[in-house]
Amino acid sequence: MSMTGERHKNAAREMWATTNGTYQKVRPSHDRAAVQYLLQQLGVLDNDLSIQDPSCTYTVLDVGAGTGKCTSVIKDILGKDARVAALDPVAGMLEQLRAVVPGVDTFVGPCESIPLPDNSVKAVISSQSFHFIANVTALREVNRVLVPGGKFGILFSVDDAASPLVHTVFEVIRKYKYPGCPEYFIDTLQDVSWQTCFREAPLFTPLQEHVMPWEKQDALPDIESVVQLFMTFSATAREPEIREECAKTMRERLAANPAVSQNGQPLKVPRLSALYWCTKNMQGQ
């Protein structure tokens, strides 16, 4: 793990620790239709779990699961009997996950060292986290725990930069982001350099991609709610005084932008789901 990669991971941990209560409260879940679409591509929707190969310990492993925003949707879609596991390096996040998603086995640790046997998982999903773990070591571990023919899915819930509100917020975050923060921490669709690790080792078939709007879009009651949401972005993991200045600038620019005027209505924050998937390449181990 490079020093740069570790810096990015630390930014995510610092952000959760700094905004703990707010993070869980304001961060959106994931669009159910998008998660269902991805599970379909991973081949875990139509199979009878009761006759699954007993050597396969889990149907789905959610790596970088955090507080369970996506894990809960996966479990709801697959049903209470589905064998689902969650991995995250932050124990406190997994504590929150267990409180809201019963029946999920949790493991504390990084994706670079998954505490599961070889060929033990049918599908691995990284939801809103792969940009933190985009390295060959993590991919080798995902490849190792997948059964032959197993699939790896990546999901990003992306704020639509075509929206004047999102565009304004992104411009502020770019001004105050921590030194060395990559663009894909802000706009994952515009910067896909996180995919480089897939080309560095032939561990998987080429990534397939599908982008779809959220079936049920969110709206926030006011500008302050918008600021609270976007200040949970790990790109803003800075010193307290810089975070305060960032939040202040965000409020001012949103309030001054006529295209963001509420007119007594909630503020829409349009989102897209960016979905990627690939299959374990047996020759790439």
Side-chain angles (χ1 to χ4, degrees):
M1 171 64 64
S2 68
M3 291 297 292
T4 300
E6 193 59 37
R7 173 68 182 97
H8 300 332
K9 286 189 174 184
N10 287 339
R13 296 176 187 132
E14 290 166 14
M15 186 51 50
W16 177 78
T18 301
T19 64
N20 190 342
T22 303
Y23 182 100
Q24 183 64 6
K25 178 181 177 182
V26 305
R27 275 292 183 112
S29 180
H30 289 276
D31 184 55
R32 181 185 174 90
V35 176
Q36 185 155 347
Y37 182 94
L38 183 59
L39 291 173
Q40 181 74 55
Q41 306 312 310
L42 300 182
V44 297
L45 272 189
D46 300 327
N47 293 330
D48 185 347
L49 302 181
S50 66
I51 60 172
Q52 183 175 317
D53 183 348
S55 66
C56 180
T57 309
Y58 294 107
T59 304
V60 175
L61 169 66
D62 187 0
V63 296
T67 60
K69 294 288 188 180
C70 187
T71 318
S72 61
V73 183
I74 294 170
K75 186 71 171 174
D76 185 58
I77 292 172
L78 295 183
K80 63 182 179 64
D81 294 328
R83 291 175 285 180
V84 176
L87 173 77
D88 199 90
V90 182
M93 283 190 152
L94 290 177
E95 287 179 11
Q96 293 188 1
L97 183 152
R98 288 191 294 270
V100 297
V101 194
V104 171
D105 291 344
T106 59
F107 302 93
V108 178
C111 190
E112 292 84 356
S113 182
I114 301 174
L116 291 175
D118 296 359
N119 306 315
S120 59
V121 180
K122 184 161 190 180
V124 175
I125 288 181
S126 174
S127 55
Q128 209 71 12
S129 63
F130 190 74
H131 49 323
F132 299 120
I133 52 178
N135 62 79
V136 172
T137 302
L139 287 182
R140 288 194 187 283
E141 277 292 271
V142 172
N143 179 287
R144 179 184 65 79
V145 301
L146 281 171
V147 299
K151 297 188 178 184
F152 181 31
I154 298 170
L155 183 157
F156 290 111
S157 289
V158 184
D159 300 284
D160 189 352
S163 155
L165 181 149
V166 174
H167 177 80
T168 300
V169 168
F170 280 2
E171 287 301 299
V172 174
I173 292 177
R174 289 187 181 101
K175 178 179 179 181
Y176 291 99
K177 67 181 183 179
Y178 69 82
C181 174
E183 173 64 17
Y184 57 73
F185 273 31
I186 302 169
D187 191 343
T188 315
L189 282 179
Q190 293 304 310
D191 180 2
V192 295
S193 59
W194 58 267
Q195 298 180 15
T196 301
C197 60
F198 283 92
R199 296 187 288 273
E200 293 176 348
L203 297 165
F204 294 91
T205 60
L207 282 173
Q208 298 185 68
E209 175 184 355
H210 180 66
V211 178
M212 57 192 289
W214 277 33
E215 191 173 70
K216 197 173 182 181
Q217 295 286 352
D218 279 354
L220 295 173
D222 49 38
I223 286 176
E224 187 59 34
S225 300
V226 173
V227 174
Q228 285 187 356
L229 167 64
F230 284 97
M231 288 304 293
T232 65
F233 273 39
S234 57
T236 66
R238 299 294 305 273
E239 300 80 359
E241 61 273 16
I242 296 180
R243 280 182 51 79
E244 289 177 9
E245 185 178 343
C246 178
K248 179 174 180 289
T249 302
M250 202 178 291
R251 290 186 195 96
E252 291 173 347
R253 293 197 182 176
L254 287 171
N257 189 339
V260 186
S261 177
Q262 282 190 260
N263 296 319
Q265 301 297 317
L267 290 166
K268 294 181 179 179
V269 185
R271 294 191 176 98
L272 306 168
S273 291
L275 312 171
Y276 306 86
W277 63 94
C278 53
T279 302
K280 175 175 179 174
N281 183 350
M282 295 299 295
Q283 296 181 349
Q285 298 186 87

